[in-house]
Amino acid sequence: MSLSEVIDATRDAVTDDVNRATVTFRTTNALVPGTPTQVSVEARGHGFAVDEPASLGGTDVAPNPVEYALAALGSCQVITYQFWAARLGIQLDGISVTVEGDLDVRGFFGFAEHIRPGFTAIRVQVSLTGPETRARYEELRWNADRHCPVLDLFRAETPTRTALAL
């Protein structure tokens, strides 16, 4: 099914029943026994590892959580550009996204309580190739940035609650 067909089918499905518009995604995350920081993650039957580099006490067998956050942002941008190019009829021959984030580890380790533990700055560089004009690709960028779910997570506060199960 093409992206345009997915968009049309989704529009029809959520127009017919607004309850179909909300989707819940879930991951399960567990420390790998015997390791200091390695985590086993499962999402929709797909498994992957998370770890810290040796400089942060890990065994460096996989990217760390903040690298996955940057990867989530970059990959969501790529996918969102693809969907919006299809929706707007913009030809896109290639896309790559580089994402960098600055993090002050004093916040994570609690060395300075006034330093936040998360990113202090994030830079997203999108490279597009294709035959369209710069104005068309700017229209695409505007729509992708406006509708990218992970970019929204970084830009807007999302109600989040944590709970402890013992």
Side-chain angles (χ1 to χ4, degrees):
M1 185 180 288
S2 74
L3 292 181
S4 294
E5 291 169 326
V6 169
I7 293 165
D8 292 342
T10 303
R11 180 185 307 114
D12 293 345
V14 300
T15 299
D16 292 345
D17 182 358
V18 72
N19 292 320
R20 294 180 182 161
T22 300
V23 180
T24 300
F25 292 93
R26 174 189 309 237
T27 65
T28 56
N29 311 267
L31 184 66
V32 174
T35 69
T37 61
Q38 188 178 342
V39 178
S40 174
V41 180
E42 186 170 318
R44 291 186 303 108
H46 302 283
F48 58 94
V50 177
D51 198 3
E52 290 291 344
S55 63
L56 292 175
T59 55
D60 202 22
V61 299
N64 70 16
V66 296
E67 290 165 326
Y68 275 114
L70 296 176
L73 175 56
S75 58
C76 194
Q77 283 275 284
V78 170
I79 292 166
T80 304
Y81 269 83
Q82 287 289 97
F83 270 89
W84 277 90
R87 183 155 181 211
L88 297 170
I90 293 175
Q91 186 175 338
L92 188 57
D93 294 339
I95 179 170
S96 67
V97 177
T98 301
V99 184
E100 295 179 327
D102 301 328
L103 189 141
D104 187 330
V105 297
R106 294 176 298 169
F108 171 73
F109 285 109
F111 298 153
E113 289 302 319
H114 68 283
I115 304 288
R116 64 183 288 205
F119 289 112
T120 57
I122 295 175
R123 294 169 298 283
V124 179
Q125 179 66 48
V126 179
S127 298
L128 304 176
T129 58
E132 304 285 352
T133 65
R134 179 168 189 88
R136 287 289 280 163
Y137 287 135
E138 286 293 342
E139 176 187 8
L140 177 58
R141 182 182 67 84
W142 184 86
N143 279 286
D145 284 356
R146 184 168 178 244
H147 296 97
C148 178
V150 179
L151 183 59
D152 179 72
L153 284 173
F154 278 92
R155 287 182 167 171
E157 187 172 334
T158 300
T160 306
R161 106 184 132 80
T162 64
L164 182 62
L166 299 173

